[in-house]
Amino acid sequence: MDKSYLRLVCGDPEGVCKKGPEKGDKKIEKDDKKTEEEDRKNCVSFTRFVFPFAYSLRRLPENPKEKDHLYYKEVSYEDLDENSLDRKIFIQRRKYFTRETGHSLYDRAKWFKVPPHIWKEKTSLATGVGFKSLHGDREFQVAMSPPMVVLFEWDGKERNEPGEENILQTGFLVAEVWFPKEREESGKEEKCSVFLDDLLDINELFRCFDYPGYKDHEDRFFKLLKNLPTEYGLKETKTIGNFEGDVHSAYFTRWGNLLSIPVWFDGAAYGLVPEDFTENAVKYLEDPLRDWEKGPLSPDKYLIYPDFRAFVWSCAVLENGAKAIGRALYTSQSKAHEYRYYVKFLNVDEPSSPCDAPPSEFEKEWARERTYHRWEKEGTWYGFNYHAGVAVMEPSVYVSHFREIYFDIILLLLYLRVTLFRFSNALEDIVKGRPSLKELRKGMEKIRKYFSVFAIRYQYPLLSNQQQAIEMYQIARKYLDVDEFYEEVKREIDDTHGYLETVTANRLSELGNKIARWGIPLAVAGIVASIFGMDTEHLHVWESLSTGFGLRPNPEFWVLFMLVVFLAGLSFFWVRNWFREKDKDSS
């Protein structure tokens, strides 16, 4: 196998979109080689890791110096100059979707990003840190773009008390890594010393935010990511290598510290998670069975996704696109699922078993179903599943579509998937501890309210009018299991609501039975009393003796009283026996 074909095209992906749309206003002639070369240089490899979490805004003490440190700033394109490329690119993204989809992605959700100039000032990750390859005695540089948080259902309201949480407020931390170019010893040429195998290793190891529990993974993790910072800004003193022997901290701290960066909004700084989130989350991951106080600060209120790995969105740019894999393996096969490299890339696996061997029939079928085949023969491969979306392409392909527009599609689907998990967990929470009927009904009213809003806002029929988007969306939605989860959660909510309705109906029936059992005798007594009580002139409880010795009982009243008691008792026993016979018949 000739691995020289598998060398990645490297560079800063932040520049990917800077020249593509600029050419859109004029036709590029084939002989305009300079412009074509500039365009090719802008299509580079990268991976975005997407970490889902529940956010809850808490205003931090006002501190003007906060702006001198790392913070997330709202990404707003309305304030940019009309001729700005960033503004044009965003308009292009928004027009790609239907109005309803665009509203969900860019209006109901708030996008925040660490300003690039501050990111470069405060962390070495902005320009690159050294990674030691797991394949041979090589080192290469890995950099991280300014991190970003996307907060769905943003309303700008603080929520500090238990029960105030909005189950629809799901956030996503986006950490994008890429590979800086390196100069040859001659100093004249820049190239990339990163290969497809290295990208597979980074994707498989970087994404974990909890220790998976086996030694081989731990050894590879510390070897490859040893120099990766786990703190950012002025506190950038520790790397993953400092945590050897403390695997849970090594795996999670870098994620928790990115979430601890405040959001700067409307002149104030807000925390997205509690201040002690990272420390408590590490303890929780070490022992999830410990007796946590189930309050609003509990770590499992924020670690909402039932996986210990972030979602992977990865693009491998090779000089000859996907055809480079065939050339490396000396074959002209154009179908993606025929290559183990692609199967491992899509499944986010390490390249441990020989990638030059053909995949098994199971692997072929698995990959074939999850691959978008429109441009397969041209050497551009796209694949989607529940934990990754990948692309293999050549530098001349307009990669910003994958990095921006297609990523927006997957982000929306991830929101649907993660939020459905949150509904399922919320249902489990409200039935814990044998809640009273009142508590259960109150909890279900809240869940049904949010679920109705969720269905109305996000279960729309059309995502985009673009054919490619519709086709990719269908594959991604299917293999992220969104429809299956939606129907399952809807059934759980309906069944629970049906149970409540049944319990309520039974209690009303019991109340009706009690009223009937006591009401009928009392009604009989009332009827009898009303009949005999019509003569009010002579009917008295006591009457005066003519002898002047005082009062004596009126026999007429007490005869009537005993008659009423007898008839009421008789009707009571008759009604009770009648109900007993009915109960026997129904059973």
Side-chain angles (χ1 to χ4, degrees), residues 409-426:
I409 294 174
I410 213 72
L411 196 64
L412 183 60
L413 287 173
L414 278 175
Y415 173 73
L416 298 179
R417 179 182 173 90
V418 173
T419 305
L420 287 170
F421 273 112
R422 295 189 68 184
F423 276 111
S424 182
N425 293 335

Side-chain angles (χ1 to χ4, degrees), residues 6 54 83 91 208 232 280 307 340 354 387-388 397 431 486 521 548 578:
L6 303 180
N83 296 320
I91 291 175
C208 293
Y232 313 95
N280 286 343
D307 198 345
R340 177 164 283 181
H387 59 265
V397 175
V431 298
Y486 178 82
W578 183 80

